[in-house]
Amino acid sequence: MKFKVLGSGAGIPSRTRNTQSFVLDVVEEINQYFLIDTSEALQHRILDTTIRPSKIRHVFITHLHGDHILGLPGFLSSRSHQGGEGIPLIVYGPPGLEEWIETTFRTSGTHLNYAIQFVEVGNGDVFDIEGFKVSVQLLDHAIDSFLYVFEEPDKPGALKSDKLREMGIKPGPIYKQIKSSKTFEHEGIIYNTCDYVSAPTAGRKVAVHGDTRVIRHKDYLDMLEGSDLIVHEATYLHGEQEKAHLYYHSEINDVLFNLSQISYGQLLFSHISNRYDAEMVRLVEEQLPSGIKLAHDFIEITIPRDSQ
Ligand SMILES: [Zn+2]
Ligand SMILES: [Zn+2]
């Protein structure tokens, strides 16, 4: 599982930062990509990667500000001609998204050659996507903006074949039968399967924020607890906490302090304003503790199992 940054900027694109688009690469797990936010130039960014649009089956929109959605109509339209024919797509997002896309397609005469479904999201929604649990939480922004938390299912433990061999049970279809039932019988004795299977591996958890003020309530922090990767905005990189609050955004040190109350694996700050020059960004990066990074376009973060 990997997290790829296609756009790390805030508000307005710069030469080095596109506005917000991310990809959660779950190709190894379920052979597809989750696309999160769809800024302008998303298509061009994708062309500079090995990502195939046909493998994007689920899109998650955090909120309807232009720097997060203006690339969606173009992406959806091009996908028809980039191997996406007949491969359905589901778009999750706030109310109003479907209406905007329908209007854009109607007025521009755009037709798709695959089925598209829009799912309106709201606070507290939970979706099951091919075994992944996706939870939605309302954030605190000038318009409704959402956090998406992606949780991979736990991986069942492996059969302890050494132990079974010692008992005289040789490998074969019987192993599959043992694994799929709670108990098994051998030479007239009933055994509990759990004693012959190693502990399951915990699934990974990735939390991706839309634009937001720092949120301090317990339910929100509980939702983030134990994340392997948290992606949070840091529109303000240095001081100006009051200004960040006024404009419904976050200041980096305030986020760090807030998240210090929970345990997590890695933290990635994105939505970086182009008011900060490269030198300033470098200075901030130098001071970040290990496991905490500032996003740049095209960086990729590997999310190992048991990263905490
Ligand atoms: Zn934004
Ligand atoms: Zn916004």
Side-chain angles (χ1 to χ4, degrees), residues 72-92:
L72 185 58
F75 166 75
L76 295 175
S77 170
S78 297
R79 188 178 179 273
S80 285
H81 312 286
Q82 294 171 323
E85 184 171 359
I87 301 173
L89 182 87
I90 304 179
V91 183
Y92 298 81

Side-chain angles (χ1 to χ4, degrees), residues 11 63 65 67-68 211 249 271:
H63 67 302
H65 276 156
D67 55 324
H68 299 254
D211 293 359
H249 285 290
H271 207 265

